[in-house]
Amino acid sequence: LARQWCDSGIDAIVDLPVSSVAGAVQFVAKQANTTVMITSGAASEFTSKTCSLNSTHWADDTHALAASSTAEIVKSGGKSWFFITADYSFGTALQRDATEVIQQNGGKVIGSVRFPLGAADFASLILQAQGSGAQVIGLVAVGNELVNLVKQAGEFGIAKGGTQQLAGFLIYITEVHALGLENAQGFTFGSGFYWDQNAAAREWSQRFFAEQKAMPTRVQGAVFTSTRHFLKAINQAGSRDTAAVNKAMRAMPVDYLGRPGSVRADGRVLYDLSVYRVKSPAQS
């Protein structure tokens, strides 16, 4: 589909969930000299071994997701880890980056298991993680798979047992809602966007809510921000030429809904992340 779109003369492709899909489209867009803005796929490879001059990476990448909360968990006593990991490029990259952070802070990984995309039954994997004795069970998953993992871990009494804790990485507000505070409470994770982070984000999110009847996720914030930055770059360059527009994108400051940012030469969009913790039912 991306190849057909590029052949038809489109100017840009944006969003691109699932890192393996995003990587394939990034390759196609590089060949076709079309701008690509990755706002969902999280693998850090997009701005390292596969970076290109017409590609920018707006999502919180696996390095940032691993670093933002993992170090704090290790420092607070979660020294031994066991991973339950999605078996595709996102999972591989995030577990690798998290392992580096764990080891740098004096922790260790004592085991891991993988599951295929679309899995629904995690009982055997949870039992392996529970039996490992690890203090922290890292859930390298997203979307419905993460929701099912947390719910099934709750059925095994992991969080309530007191000896093990669950750690998530790529968590959306929609997943917190799907889990409910009873299941999601205490989850700690980093994010580059939350609808209530500042006045600018709140103002835009209220307009989004008026149309969609839901607050925006971090991906929806990134899609809006990247598309607006791209259109501003066209105006700045005075041209739709791919090279000129991407040069302007890298030269211009980024307004990430009230949070300042910039675009590095390799296409990595730089901005501060915040670390969030889900409230308990009593706190909310």
Side-chain angles (χ1 to χ4, degrees), residues 41-74:
S44 55
E45 281 82 353
F46 299 140
T47 52
S48 55
K49 68 181 182 181
T50 68
C51 70
S52 76
L53 293 174
N54 59 321
S55 171
T56 49
H57 193 195
W58 296 75
D60 304 342
D61 70 10
T62 51
H63 171 75
L65 292 169
S68 57
S69 58
T70 304
E72 293 304 315
I73 294 174
V74 176

Side-chain angles (χ1 to χ4, degrees), residues 94-231:
L94 209 160
Q95 182 177 327
R96 177 200 64 215
D97 292 346
T99 298
E100 290 179 4
V101 174
I102 292 165
Q103 293 174 343
Q104 288 168 1
N105 285 276
K108 61 180 180 179
V109 177
I110 61 176
S112 66
V113 287
R114 293 180 173 270
F115 63 87
L117 190 64
D121 183 0
F122 299 98
S124 64
L125 307 185
I126 293 169
L127 284 172
Q128 290 182 62
Q130 195 171 31
S132 73
Q135 295 168 305
V136 185
I137 300 174
L139 306 181
V140 187
V142 68
N144 289 334
E145 292 161 350
L146 177 65
V147 170
N148 289 333
L149 259 171
V150 174
K151 286 182 176 179
Q152 290 174 36
E155 292 170 2
F156 282 90
I158 286 179
K160 294 180 180 179
T163 58
Q164 292 180 306
Q165 70 177 98
L166 301 176
F169 299 94
L170 183 53
I171 301 174
Y172 297 98
I173 189 172
T174 47
E175 292 157 5
V176 175
H177 291 163
L179 285 166
L181 293 182
E182 186 64 38
N183 287 316
Q185 61 181 307
F187 250 46
T188 302
F189 55 93
S191 180
F193 172 78
Y194 175 54
W195 69 264
D196 200 27
Q197 67 187 19
N198 55 40
R202 284 192 294 273
E203 189 276 331
W204 176 75
S205 298
Q206 291 290 352
R207 290 193 285 122
F208 183 97
F209 185 88
E211 295 286 340
Q212 301 296 328
K213 308 307 176 190
M215 284 302 183
T217 67
R218 68 169 92 191
V219 168
Q220 289 159 335
V223 168
F224 175 84
T225 301
S226 60
T227 303
R228 182 178 58 176
H229 190 76
F230 171 74
L231 295 173

